[in-house]
Amino acid sequence: MASENEAPKSVSETTVIAVAKGGEAPASPKRKIALVTGITGQDGSYLTEFLLNKGYEVHGLIRRSSNFNTQRINHIYIDPHNAHKALMKLHYADLTDASSLRSWLDIILPDEVYNLAAQSHVAVSFEIPDYTADVVATGALRLLEAVRSHVAATGRSHIRYYQAGSSEMFGSTPPPQSESTPFHPRSPYAASKCAAHWYTVNYREAYGIFACNGILFNHESPRRGENFVTRKITRAVGRIKIGLQSKLFLGNLQASRDWGFAGDYVEAMWLMMQQETPDDYVVATEESHTVQEFLEVAFGYVGLNWKDHVVIDKRYFRPTEVDNLKGDASKAKQVLGWKPKVGFEQLVKMMVDEDIELANREKVLVDAGYMDAQQQP
Ligand code: NDP
Ligand code: GDR
């Protein structure tokens, strides 16, 4: 996706034109169609790969940015001019723009809608609370309302909706946390996710929409955003090992998280949408580790001692912290038949391995004078 000419092409430019001119046939009626918001994020990229492998046509809503924001999905992008091969299609929209959501539903006619888009950084939500609520809470409401009005206008009542809920909703409620654990959110992000959760329940009860909440605990991968703690650590491990960096500034090392692999978690999202009845599910590994334990495994894996490199910086502490998250995923195991495949140590090592490779590539650029060691691409 190198030029504006290759930027998202709408269905009206591909499918509809193809039909009108008697060109490529539209998707087979048997091929399921998914609409994914947040397709450019970590989960969006894994979910899209998963759905394409299942034979879906996947439509992703992306927001306009001043630079291309599709790095995580470039490897599965096929130019829409190859209409019969291009099963992932991208369209501009935004969760803050209700009209764009409704129009794309009417054009794409999806069978399944996955709402993954969010301002997803907890600490940042304290700095931009209003915007976070607009995207995370009201954004979900806008999409649910678009689904409701789309169903009312078209009669397409088989459409299914997935809401990306979060273990952050449990906040200060002690573990283990299951579907029946009360929410006590500790950030504007978490409070907004609670609102989105209850909007989803309400649209299911009020209008009979097949709407599910996935209450997912932290899940990571080599595609994790670089300002979340796991990736921040593994990026630093790679760069320190290669000699591009010496210090890593972090906040609270005592928080515990139930960390799984994102690739495993998108399967649980899909499984929820294949059930006979819509419901809410906790998705977790049922194992919890502190940030310090993550540091020990990540640095230890490459023969380094984290204590030689980590500096505590107060700026990374949050006004209210979530101390201890550990999920009880028995319902997902029993009803969905889901279980995680990647364990904690394997996840950490997978991320470190990829970030060592990345640091090696950066080193080549630094040595050739094309990049400053401080600069991270
Ligand atoms: P990311 O931050 O990696 O991705 C967020 C996505 O949302 C990006 O595609 C982003 O676009 C998009 N987005 C942000 N704002 C808007 C907007 N206003 N309109 C449209 N799109 C927008 O998150 P993850 O992939 O990690 O998480 C996916 C979802 O799951 C999120 O809702 C998150 O809150 C939730 N979640 C995540 C967990 C995790 O551990 N990863 C755990 C529990 C829940 P762009 O690329 O342009 O920034
Ligand atoms: P979290 O993830 O807040 O759980 O939200 P994050 O990786 O940001 O923080 C995890 C814990 O690490 C502590 N921490 C730091 N965090 C960051 N980001 N940067 C630091 O330097 C640092 N030092 C210590 C934090 O205080 C926290 O306790 C993620 C997001 O993906 C949400 O969208 C999602 O809903 C939840 O997981 C489940």
Side-chain angles (χ1 to χ4, degrees):
M1 269 178 278
S3 76
E4 182 59 25
N5 287 337
E6 294 169 73
K9 296 288 189 289
S10 70
V11 176
S12 51
E13 288 172 337
T14 54
T15 314
V16 176
I17 290 174
V19 172
K21 293 186 176 169
E24 298 282 354
S28 141
K30 285 196 183 135
R31 192 183 285 288
K32 276 199 182 177
I33 299 179
L35 176 61
V36 179
T37 74
I39 194 169
T40 55
Q42 172 189 252
D43 290 9
S45 68
Y46 283 107
L47 178 65
T48 300
E49 283 172 359
F50 180 88
L51 293 173
L52 290 173
N53 281 334
K54 290 256 172 228
Y56 281 62
E57 178 175 311
V58 181
H59 292 256
L61 300 187
I62 71 167
R63 56 183 179 159
R64 196 268 160 182
S65 71
S66 67
N67 225 325
F68 284 117
N69 54 358
T70 52
Q71 296 86 337
R72 292 186 179 101
I73 48 174
N74 283 346
H75 63 288
I76 45 175
Y77 182 82
I78 296 173
D79 190 305
H81 296 102
N82 289 317
H84 61 293
K85 282 192 190 151
L87 292 176
M88 177 185 75
K89 295 173 186 179
L90 303 177
H91 317 283
Y92 285 115
D94 199 298
L95 279 195
T96 59
D97 183 332
S99 61
S100 66
L101 303 175
R102 175 64 203 276
S103 338
W104 284 121
L105 281 171
D106 289 348
I107 295 168
I108 294 164
L109 303 174
D111 302 296
E112 296 173 10
V113 175
Y114 293 85
N115 184 29
L116 308 185
Q119 187 304 92
S120 72
H121 201 284
V122 173
V124 172
S125 79
F126 288 98
E127 294 179 26
I128 47 170
D130 193 340
Y131 173 75
T132 301
D134 194 19
V135 176
V136 177
T138 312
L141 179 63
R142 286 186 192 101
L143 189 53
L144 280 161
E145 183 54 20
V147 168
R148 186 203 62 74
S149 60
H150 169 77
V151 170
T154 63
R156 300 183 69 251
S157 57
H158 72 281
I159 190 168
R160 297 179 170 208
Y161 176 91
Y162 172 85
Q163 172 59 31
S166 165
S167 52
E168 282 293 297
M169 299 188 294
F170 298 121
S172 58
T173 312
Q177 292 102 355
S178 72
E179 295 80 5
S180 57
T181 302
F183 295 153
H184 187 141
R186 299 269 284 170
S187 63
Y189 166 81
S192 301
K193 280 289 182 190
C194 289
H197 175 96
W198 286 113
Y199 289 142
T200 304
V201 172
N202 181 243
Y203 271 63
R204 181 165 75 211
E205 292 174 354
Y207 306 113
I209 291 173
F210 190 110
C212 302
N213 284 295
I215 307 175
L216 272 54
F217 282 61
N218 297 55
H219 44 278
E220 319 294 312
S221 74
R223 296 183 202 166
R224 183 57 140 154
E226 295 190 21
N227 58 356
F228 295 97
V229 77
T230 56
R231 187 77 201 290
K232 188 171 167 182
I233 292 170
T234 60
R235 275 293 268 140
V237 167
R239 287 171 55 84
I240 291 169
K241 185 70 184 169
I242 301 300
L244 293 173
Q245 174 178 336
S246 64
K247 296 291 174 209
L248 167 62
F249 295 94
L250 291 175
N252 176 18
L253 306 188
Q254 299 317 315
S256 272
R257 291 289 182 274
D258 179 331
W259 277 300
F261 171 52
D264 289 346
Y265 284 40
V266 298
E267 183 188 14
M269 298 176 189
W270 177 79
L271 283 168
M272 286 175 216
M273 299 280 263
Q274 311 313 310
Q275 302 306 303
E276 275 190 19
T277 49
D279 208 341
D280 307 325
Y281 297 89
V282 158
V283 179
T285 67
E286 306 187 324
E287 197 180 303
S288 191
H289 297 272
T290 61
V291 174
Q292 184 172 316
E293 285 167 342
F294 194 104
L295 281 168
E296 282 160 9
V297 177
F299 277 81
Y301 180 47
V302 296
L304 295 172
N305 184 344
W306 68 271
K307 290 181 183 162
D308 296 335
H309 302 281
V310 170
V311 178
I312 301 300
D313 184 337
K314 288 260 180 289
R315 95 169 69 163
Y316 297 114
F317 283 77
R318 296 163 185 191
T320 37
E321 177 61 282
V322 171
D323 294 321
N324 199 356
L325 292 174
K326 183 177 170 192
D328 168 358
S330 23
K331 180 174 170 184
K333 284 182 179 162
Q334 279 161 20
V335 179
L336 305 179
W338 177 88
K339 62 173 196 270
K341 298 182 186 83
V342 177
F344 176 68
E345 291 216 359
Q346 196 186 347
L347 172 66
V348 179
K349 289 174 182 171
M350 176 205 298
M351 292 175 71
V352 170
D353 282 340
E354 293 254 357
D355 279 333
I356 294 266
E357 284 301 309
L358 183 53
N360 273 320
R361 290 199 293 276
E362 283 175 7
K363 178 99 169 49
V364 172
L365 294 176
V366 170
D367 289 347
Y370 291 120
M371 196 181 124
D372 190 294
Q374 299 301 314
Q375 179 195 337
Q376 293 182 26

